[in-house]
Amino acid sequence: MNILSRFADIMKSNINALLDKCEDPAKMVDQMLRDLREDLVEVKKETATVMADEKKAKRQLDECDAEIQKYLTAAQNALKAGKEEDAKVLIAKKQQYEANRVSLESTYQVAQANAEKMQQMHDKLVNDIDTLEMKKDSIKAKVSTAKAQEHMNKIVAGGTNSEASIAAFQRMEEKADRMLDSAVAEAELNAGTNKASDLADQYLGGGSSVQVDDELAKMKAELGL
């Protein structure tokens, strides 16, 4: 593609705006630098061609002006010499060059305008490259710092989740301790109740065991044992 056809896009491009839209400016800045350098190489080649066209058009225009001036002077001299017919021939030739000059002037103006555009693009590309080169290290450093901070944020968030899990486990452990303590206390209470009941049965039974021993002794006596 002819670089001149991209003149408007290149001139309107804004490095800062493009960087603001980047998801990863650190990667984008390198790509942008590569693209700009490629454009600059193309601009320099195109500029050489355009400047050559401009110089050629200017030379042809100057040569035409010189011919017009030559035939004008010759016609004037012919009139001074009283050679009116020769003057007419010279004037006609001058008019031919004058007619041709219109086309040559137009060609030169186009070539000159193109050369100016090429110079503008060249200067802008050089400035954009210099701007990116100066910003590149700073941008990469900021992105690196941002990524490091994001990593730390994830670690901190993970630590918070871990703390929450530990706290929940502690609460469950405390609940289990309370349940065990309650069960042990209940068992102790039950054991105390059974002991009192046994003692009551023992003492409320009177001398039942003594009565059995007395009757056994009596029975042995009767049997001569």
Side-chain angles (χ1 to χ4, degrees), residues 19-212:
L19 287 173
D20 288 341
K21 296 178 182 179
C22 298
E23 293 182 3
D24 191 341
K27 292 181 180 179
M28 190 62 182
V29 69
D30 288 332
Q31 183 60 51
M32 290 173 69
L33 276 170
R34 286 193 292 270
D35 293 343
L36 288 172
R37 290 190 180 111
E38 289 177 1
D39 284 341
L40 185 58
V41 170
E42 190 176 352
V43 164
K44 287 182 176 179
K45 291 180 180 178
E46 191 80 11
T47 299
T49 300
V50 171
M51 288 179 67
D53 291 342
E54 180 191 16
K55 289 181 179 180
K56 180 181 178 180
K58 184 64 169 64
R59 184 177 64 255
Q60 290 176 336
L61 183 61
D62 290 342
E63 290 173 352
C64 182
D65 286 337
E67 289 297 313
I68 291 172
Q69 184 60 44
K70 182 181 76 172
Y71 283 102
L72 174 61
T73 302
Q76 290 172 343
N77 291 338
L79 281 176
K80 291 177 183 178
K83 302 294 184 177
E84 187 172 324
E85 290 300 322
D86 290 343
K88 287 182 179 180
V89 172
L90 293 169
I91 290 172
K93 189 66 175 179
K94 178 180 75 71
Q95 289 176 345
Q96 289 177 2
Y97 277 105
E98 287 174 340
N100 189 43
R101 189 186 187 285
V102 175
S103 176
L104 292 174
E105 174 70 19
S106 177
T107 299
Y108 173 66
Q109 288 178 355
V110 171
Q112 189 179 44
N114 287 341
E116 290 176 356
K117 286 183 178 181
M118 296 306 302
Q119 187 63 51
Q120 290 175 14
M121 278 195 291
H122 176 275
D123 293 345
K124 183 179 187 301
L125 288 172
V126 169
N127 181 68
D128 287 347
I129 289 173
D130 290 343
T131 299
L132 275 182
E133 285 287 2
M134 288 188 293
K135 287 187 174 184
K136 181 174 67 174
D137 292 340
S138 174
I139 289 172
K140 289 187 175 182
K142 289 180 180 178
V143 171
S144 178
T145 301
K147 288 183 177 179
Q149 185 61 54
E150 289 175 357
H151 182 64
M152 287 301 300
N153 292 343
K154 290 180 180 178
I155 293 176
V156 172
T160 302
N161 294 335
S162 176
E163 290 175 0
S165 299
I166 292 173
F169 178 80
Q170 289 175 340
R171 287 195 299 272
M172 294 299 295
E173 187 176 21
E174 291 172 358
K175 183 176 181 180
D177 288 341
R178 288 195 299 271
M179 292 175 64
L180 178 60
D181 291 342
S182 178
V184 170
E186 185 177 352
E188 291 176 351
L189 289 173
N190 290 336
T193 300
N194 292 336
K195 183 177 181 180
S197 177
D198 291 342
L199 289 173
D201 290 342
Q202 179 180 342
Y203 287 102
L204 291 176
S208 57
S209 62
V210 176
Q211 292 176 354
V212 170

